Amino acid sequence: MLRQYELVDRVLDYDPDADEALLNRAYVFSMKAHGSQKRASGDPYFSHPIEVAGILTDLRLDDETIATAILHDTIEDTVATPDEIERLFGPSVARLVDGVTKLSKIEAQSENERAAENLRKFLLAMSDDIRVLLVKLADRLHNMRTLHHIGKPEKRRRIARETMDIYAPLAERVGMYEFMREMQTLAFEQLEPEAFQSVGRRLEQLGEGGGDRIGKIASGLRLALGRAGIEVEVSGREKHPYSIWRKMAERHISFEQLSDVMAFRAVVPTVEDCYRALGIIHRRWPMVPGRFKDYISTPKRNGYRSLHTTVIHVENARIEVQIRTPEMHAQAEYGLAAHWAYKTPNGDGGKVRADANHSWIRDLVEILDTAGSPEELLEHTRMAMYADRIFAFTPRGELIQLPKGATPIDFAYAVHTDLGDQAVGAKVNGRVMSLKTVIENGDQVQILRSKAQAPQAAWLNIATTGKALAAIRRHLRHAERDESVKLGRKIYDDIVRRLPAPIGTDALPQALKRLKLPDEAALMHAVARRSLSDAAVMEALMPGSAGADVANDRGGDRGSDRAGAMPQAGAISIKGLTPGVAFDLGDCCRPVPGDRIVGLRRPDAGIEVHRIDCSVLGELAERAEGETDWVDVSWGDKADGGVARVQVEVKNEPGALGMLATIIGRHGANIINLRLDARDALYHTNTVDVEVHDLHQLMRLLAALRAIEAVHAADRV
């Protein structure tokens, strides 16, 4: 463990202006606060925050960050309070400590809710000041270094899995590859001990069999570049066990088949030297096609820059070579911490925010604002943080980074939320493509937009990024609520007409108070979703009108709803409301405008509309007896659009199916789905879902189908 003077001297070595008194106070306070607490290893607990601070001195971080590391466990694990930290160490350190503090004491109903709340608070703190993330990563790295002292294997595996799933990808996200590699190696040892030992043995055998192969290859690279007049530092290493194991698993190959287990790094003075060195290496040794990556012209999203190539060296050994400048190397090893600016005034109360290379943090904060549930938050943030990336370009040449498998929907939302909401198509490399098209690395994408467009539920099956999915779901939630309010207004008007006498202007505000609802929209939403029964609304509007004290009835059964109430005054029009949002059309009977219909209303669900002669209607009502409310509904004047299902028996001969499609098209109907149900020597039976305007169009279509020779029978299902 570092002694007090050793830690302070480390900081003063790289930052002579550091606040020495702050560091000394933090050291003494933490040591006293943790007192006699012990770690699983038997060491004093105080040793952990000091070692975390030591890790951060290797990154040359500022005095406030080092003090935060020393104090980061005091609020949770000791009697110290946030107010005490702020009084002794200032508001900036107190804010950082609060951001880093583990959030295990949060009370929540489920593991997902607790995990989501932890993640929410951590991400908000991280976006407010990125130093929170640096301390957290150092904290986790030291915990992983001492993980073997924990006695319970299941606890070690749980911590290792959390590290592999969250903290190692976070370290990669901010370019701290040394942290990432060590975390992955230590977690891999716990999660897959047999694989870890097997890969380790193979690496030892490889080293023993070839002598100092890495040293010899490094010397050869250094000699080839030196002869060309390039000043270079070359180092080599074997790839770490987890990286090797993952490649073996992804490619389904054995260790012997894995060619590039050695990686070499050539550090040259300038960017121009990087490309010169690349040309020399490719002239000297054959390159492996498809293994060259230029991260200098197109940096990774975390700011990483380097040239990567794989060449075939002597004895057919494939080696990976990374070529970079010293600045790129510092960024590659320590990422966000490599370009630290000490005590640089930023006009923001000393906060240090993420730069342009870490815009993904802003995306995460946007997701926090739009996620509808803990599960949704966890899903979207993991997508945003951990997916492999590709590069695509806007027509103006702006670089957009996306996960593999992304579509134009994801691209549009990555550019701007409004562009995503209004997307109708895309041009990919100049060709008009659908929104389902998977974008490839290097594609140029232009989004086609329309102000009349709005996000569709089907987009949830197309989008892959957390930002896009969160925006689509947010829009759909708002649209569903708006449609529910419209429908609730129509049902409410019918309820008012059933009251024994007209109501005054004060009746509605008084009803909201009695029902403890915040506003009129909340009432209409509750009426549409039947979280309030009609009788409860009537009683709230006009006490005594429902024949019983049911003002607080939430849902209620149909019997209580009709107690002392007048029957429905008239059919409720569903014209202007959106199917699938305000109400659902029954899949069993698929009603279209012109059909006589009835609505089935259940608590906390939308109205389900069925044809009046639907064969399963009675069964549905019986199954939900006591919870079902029948609603008389109508299409309204000039209602348009619906999908009907028809079954057509067609002769088993060439051209018959084409004739079927031709007749449907000539009648202005659109085939949504077609399924072959049965086939024999004479006929084949098809179920066809067709989009029609109304019942009249459907009847004309069926008559036309029955009239052609190729069709044996055509009926609505």
Side-chain angles (χ1 to χ4, degrees), residues 637-659:
D637 296 336
K638 298 181 181 178
D640 188 30
V643 177
R645 177 165 290 175
V646 297
Q647 193 172 72
V648 188
E649 286 187 39
V650 184
K651 287 185 178 180
N652 189 5
E653 60 184 31
L657 198 59
M659 182 63 71

Side-chain angles (χ1 to χ4, degrees), residues 664-681:
I664 292 174
R666 283 180 178 173
H667 278 74
N670 186 31
I671 297 176
I672 301 299
N673 189 37
L674 187 147
R675 184 183 72 231
L676 176 64
D677 292 327
R679 180 180 179 182
D680 56 30

Side-chain angles (χ1 to χ4, degrees), residues 66-80:
I66 303 301
T68 299
I70 298 171
L71 300 166
H72 77 271
D73 275 338
T74 54
I75 293 178
E76 181 188 358
D77 294 332
T78 76
V79 296

